[in-house]
Amino acid sequence: GENVEQHPSTLSVQEGDSAVIKCTYSDSASNYFPWYKQELGKGPQLIIDIRSNVGEKKDQRIAVTLNKTAKHFSLHITETQPEDSAVYFCAAGSGSARQLTFGSGTQLTVLP
Amino acid sequence: GAGVSQSPSNKVTEKGKDVELRCDPISGHTALYWYRQSLGQGLEFLIYFQGNSAPDKSGLPSDRFSAERTGGSVSTLTIQRTQQEDSAVYLCASSFYTGVSGEQYFGPGTRLTVT
């Protein structure tokens, strides 16, 4: 089955700096890669996703890149703000799998 | 519109008791997923429904766990004879499209504590 590894497990940045979270996956059949943000006491919220037919996707301060050859994808947050502090999860899945396999999460702290 | 809702938000139960957790998906979403999140961990897939049927039950950790969905809407996850290791947050998600190509939207979860 699919295995997703996520790094780092914790990340602290100064407000205004950029943050990068990286994930690797094992199943070459995976073709869908969402990122979720989870705030304390809440369910994960989809913030951006990318499908395997593109290499990069951007939405305001958030971008995701995908390298299918190397089987890794990354989340980039620019101009970080304190409200970006949360746990971020990457995930991978394919049309045949029907479920997402999640990484173990990254606790991002943006220091004011 | 209304998102995914789950009830109860918190449940404390004694070891050996049965519990039922409820999920109301977004209206019109055909697929429904259950995940488990242990403290400080990622999300562990349990089961998914397409309509009322569950093609994939492979993630259920033991035969004490079961789930059903009626009317293509509400789903309940039942844990029988609860054990302390069942303590976790149980998350439900729904999506409009079949298969994983549809975005999954999560509810707030039910925090289960087995004493």
Side-chain angles (χ1 to χ4, degrees):
Chain A
E2 175 66 277
N3 181 52
V4 177
E5 294 193 356
Q6 182 172 347
H7 300 281
S9 57
T10 61
L11 178 61
S12 292
V13 298
Q14 290 294 136
E15 182 176 358
D17 288 350
S18 296
V20 180
I21 302 170
K22 299 181 179 181
C23 289
T24 60
Y25 62 99
S26 62
D27 189 349
S28 57
S30 289
N31 59 7
Y32 176 62
F33 307 93
W35 286 88
Y36 286 84
K37 175 184 180 182
Q38 186 174 28
E39 297 175 325
L40 197 62
K42 297 183 179 180
Q45 177 188 9
L46 178 69
I47 55 172
I48 195 168
D49 58 13
I50 191 168
R51 289 176 171 78
S52 59
N53 57 344
V54 298
E56 184 174 1
K57 184 177 178 180
K58 190 173 182 179
D59 182 4
Q60 298 181 10
R61 298 186 296 109
I62 295 173
V64 57
T65 59
L66 171 64
N67 183 326
K68 286 178 58 180
T69 303
K71 296 202 194 75
H72 67 70
F73 56 112
S74 301
L75 177 71
H76 304 252
I77 306 174
T78 59
E79 301 172 20
T80 53
Q81 301 167 4
E83 52 265 37
D84 294 330
S85 296
V87 178
Y88 290 80
F89 291 97
C90 63
S94 68
S96 63
R98 295 297 191 273
Q99 76 267 19
L100 296 172
T101 301
F102 283 80
S104 55
T106 296
Q107 173 69 62
L108 173 65
T109 303
V110 180
L111 305 169
Chain B
V4 178
S5 62
Q6 292 185 246
S7 61
S9 56
N10 282 284
K11 176 71 176 178
V12 180
T13 190
E14 292 181 352
K15 178 182 173 181
K17 300 283 189 182
D18 298 352
V19 295
E20 277 192 359
L21 312 180
R22 176 186 168 109
C23 172
D24 279 274
I26 294 172
S27 177
H29 279 194
T30 59
L32 186 148
Y33 306 80
W34 284 98
Y35 294 87
R36 179 168 70 175
Q37 186 175 30
S38 300
L39 187 63
Q41 300 296 311
L43 281 70
E44 174 191 5
F45 169 78
L46 298 178
I47 189 171
Y48 102 97
F49 289 90
Q50 180 56 46
N52 290 334
S53 63
D56 187 353
K57 301 180 181 179
S58 63
L60 294 176
S62 78
D63 58 8
R64 296 185 295 105
F65 287 72
S66 63
E68 65 175 14
R69 188 180 185 195
T70 55
S73 181
V74 171
S75 175
T76 56
L77 177 69
T78 301
I79 309 173
Q80 296 178 311
R81 305 181 302 280
T82 52
Q83 304 294 314
Q84 288 186 332
E85 60 262 30
D86 299 334
S87 296
V89 175
Y90 290 82
L91 291 160
C92 173
S94 69
S95 69
F96 181 74
Y97 297 105
T98 60
V100 81
S101 58
E103 294 87 350
Q104 294 186 24
Y105 296 90
F106 282 83
T110 293
R111 180 175 297 280
L112 175 65
T113 303
V114 182
T115 61

